[in-house]
């Protein structure tokens, strides 16, 4: 093990044990990385405690922490928040990337323009309304986090790209979406959405990803106004119908659509495909024969039945365990009382 790794290991050991000092730990950019983005693999930050200090050429415009992954000694509670203190410690860069570093809270600085915090544990984004100032943030990547609400982003009116895939969204607040008047790309794939407030989608959108959700029945774009939309991804939902004419009224510049993995019947799929071809809109291979559709539906129902059976088995096992526990308790009480009565009888006879 190199001397650098030994020193970093001892540093992390001291950090994890809670032995903080008044001396800041100093880190420099990996040699050559500052040309693109100042890269620091092992940076430590925990709010209200000692933290690392970045030694970098001035000014610093782009910072990337916890990268490359093979140089990271530990990821457990190393950087658990991005806030004003950390932003200052990084010399207030315009672009930050911190992926897979256990961040739980993101406080948006006014001057940050690019934020990539994928693969963390972020539940809370703090971006309060600021009178007289707008947040500069234009690009936000929060994929694979623990977000379940979007309304705490409503002050980020300059967003142009927003990536929220693989989170915990069940609903999306339409009034917040309508505030993103500059948004060109929105990724909401791999959540648990069963509907989308299409009438609140920003008119500036050029690509929209809604794949791997729970959208079902007819995907209705009635009332939507998407004059700039070029690409729409609806793959792997539960839709069985799509009104192409309504969609094209809402999105007249649509160039491509993905529909694979839905429950569109063979005849309906052919009609949709023909309408798309006539309109010059490219598509994926989403046509499924009636036999394949029946097989997919049977597979779906069999899977649900297996899950239900597993739930019933677990419930039955828990019921048996409860009965056993109660029975054992009754038995112990009975034995205790029997022993007490025996002792009393012995004492009486004496």
């Amino acid at each position: 093990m190199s001397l650098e790794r030994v020193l970093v290991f001892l540093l992390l050991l001291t950090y994890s044990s809670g032995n903080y000092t008044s001396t800041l730990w100093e880190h420099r950019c990996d040699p050559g990385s500052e040309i693109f983005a100042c890269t620091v693999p092992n940076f430590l930050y925990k709010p209200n405690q000692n933290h690392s200090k970045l030694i970098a050429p001035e000014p610093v415009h782009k910072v990337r922490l916890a990268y490359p992954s093979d140089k990271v000694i530990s990821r457990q509670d190393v950087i658990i928040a991005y806030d004003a203190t950390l932003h200052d410690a990084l010399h207030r860069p315009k672009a930050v990337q911190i992926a897979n570093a256990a961040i739980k809270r993101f406080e948006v600085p006014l001057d940050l323009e690019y934020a990539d915090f994928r693969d963390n544990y972020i539940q809370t984004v703090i971006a309060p309304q600021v009178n007289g100032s707008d947040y500069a943030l234009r690009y936000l990547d929060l994929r694979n986090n623990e977000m379940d609400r979007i309304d705490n982003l409503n002050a980020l009116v300059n967003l142009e790209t927003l990536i929220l895939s693989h989170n915990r969204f069940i609903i999306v607040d339409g009034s917040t979406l309508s505030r993103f008047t500059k948004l060109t790309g929105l990724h909401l794939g791999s959540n648990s959405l069963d509907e989308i407030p299409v009438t609140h989608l920003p008119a500036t959108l050029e690509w929209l990803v809604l794949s791997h959700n729970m959208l079902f029945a007819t995907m209705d774009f009635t009332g939507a106004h998407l004059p700039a939309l070029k690409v729409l991804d609806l793959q792997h939902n539960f839709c069985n119908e799509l009104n192409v004419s309504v969609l094209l009224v809402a999105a007249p510049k649509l160039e491509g659509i993905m529909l694979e993995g839905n429950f569109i019947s063979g005849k309906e799929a052919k009609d949709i495909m023909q309408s798309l071809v006539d309109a010059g809109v490219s598509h994926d291979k989403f046509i499924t024969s009636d036999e394949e559709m029946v097989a997919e539906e049977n597979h779906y129902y069999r899977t649900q039945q297996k899950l239900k059976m597993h739930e019933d088995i677990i419930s039955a096992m828990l019921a048996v365990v409860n009965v056993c526990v109660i029975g054992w308790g009754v038995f112990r009480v009975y034995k205790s009382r029997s022993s007490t009565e025996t002792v009393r009888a012995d004492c009486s006879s004496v």
Side-chain angles (χ1 to χ4, degrees), residues 4 10 45 48 53 92 107 125 156 163 169 184 187 205 219 228 283 288 290 292 308 316 318 322 330:
E4 178 186 358
L10 293 175
Y45 180 71
N48 303 318
K53 179 181 179 181
R92 306 192 68 83
E107 297 179 15
V125 174
L156 306 178
I163 302 175
F169 292 105
T184 61
H187 197 322
L205 280 180
M219 189 60 205
H283 59 83
T288 305
D290 291 336
E292 291 174 325
K308 183 66 168 56
L318 290 174
N322 288 335
V330 171

Side-chain angles (χ1 to χ4, degrees), residues 30-281:
D30 274 1
S33 68
E34 69 276 0
I35 296 175
F36 169 69
C38 176
T39 299
V40 178
N42 297 290
F43 194 94
L44 308 177
Y45 180 71
K46 194 171 185 178
N48 303 318
Q49 298 180 9
N50 201 2
H51 58 81
S52 295
K53 179 181 179 181
L54 178 63
I55 307 299
E58 296 289 351
V60 176
H61 294 298
K62 304 174 184 177
V63 174
R64 181 168 52 190
L65 305 183
Y67 183 89
S69 58
D70 55 358
K71 293 184 68 176
V72 176
I73 304 299
S74 173
R75 293 187 182 276
Q76 184 175 3
D77 292 339
V78 174
I79 304 173
I80 65 171
Y82 192 93
D83 56 16
T85 302
L86 179 53
H87 193 57
D88 287 338
L90 299 178
H91 307 293
R92 306 192 68 83
K94 294 187 180 299
V96 173
Q97 181 188 48
I98 310 176
N100 195 18
I103 297 175
K104 297 178 181 178
R105 188 179 76 253
F106 174 33
E107 297 179 15
V108 185
L110 280 172
D111 56 346
L112 187 64
E113 297 183 20
Y114 177 102
D116 183 350
F117 294 136
R118 69 183 73 183
D119 303 320
N120 282 287
Y121 300 101
I122 296 174
Q123 297 177 335
T124 305
V125 174
I126 301 173
Q129 298 284 348
V130 180
N131 293 332
S133 301
D134 286 338
Y135 290 90
L137 197 63
R138 298 166 52 204
Y139 183 101
L140 179 57
D141 188 344
L142 291 175
R143 77 185 72 179
N144 198 21
N145 276 279
E146 298 182 359
M147 298 279 293
D148 60 4
R149 51 185 293 189
I150 196 175
D151 57 337
N152 51 12
L153 307 179
N154 60 14
L156 306 178
V157 294
N158 286 314
L159 279 175
E160 297 176 16
T161 298
L162 179 58
I163 302 175
L164 296 172
S165 58
H166 292 90
N167 275 273
R168 298 180 177 181
F169 292 105
I170 298 175
I171 60 173
V172 175
D173 180 53
S175 61
T176 298
L177 285 178
S178 62
R179 291 178 58 84
F180 301 146
T181 57
K182 299 180 180 180
L183 197 66
T184 61
L186 177 60
H187 197 322
L188 286 167
S190 299
N191 282 285
S192 300
L193 301 172
D194 58 12
E195 63 177 346
I196 293 292
V198 294
T199 58
H200 290 86
L201 290 171
T204 50
L205 280 180
E206 295 182 7
W207 57 270
L208 174 61
V209 179
L210 300 172
S211 59
H212 294 275
N213 275 286
M214 302 181 69
L215 304 176
F216 64 93
T218 302
M219 189 60 205
D220 189 3
F221 284 87
T222 302
H225 180 59
L226 301 167
L229 190 67
K230 296 179 181 179
V231 177
L232 175 62
D233 187 349
L234 294 170
Q235 293 183 93
H236 299 286
N237 279 282
F238 298 91
C239 301
N240 57 19
E241 187 178 352
L242 175 68
N243 192 321
V244 177
S245 60
V246 171
L247 174 60
L248 294 177
V249 169
K253 293 185 179 179
L254 190 66
E255 296 177 359
I257 185 171
M258 278 75 79
L259 293 166
E260 184 179 1
N262 281 279
F263 289 88
I264 304 174
S265 66
K267 182 180 183 305
E268 181 69 21
K270 290 178 182 178
D271 293 339
I272 291 174
M273 184 194 70
Q274 189 59 54
S275 298
L276 293 173
V277 170
D278 293 342
V281 178

Side-chain angles (χ1 to χ4, degrees), residues 9-48:
F9 176 77
L10 293 175
L11 182 88
L12 289 169
L13 183 62
T14 303
Y15 174 81
S16 61
S17 65
N19 183 20
Y20 301 99
T21 70
S22 60
T23 303
L24 293 177
W25 305 307
E26 295 183 347
H27 295 281
R28 298 181 182 274
C29 308
D30 274 1
S33 68
E34 69 276 0
I35 296 175
F36 169 69
C38 176
T39 299
V40 178
N42 297 290
F43 194 94
L44 308 177
Y45 180 71
K46 194 171 185 178
N48 303 318

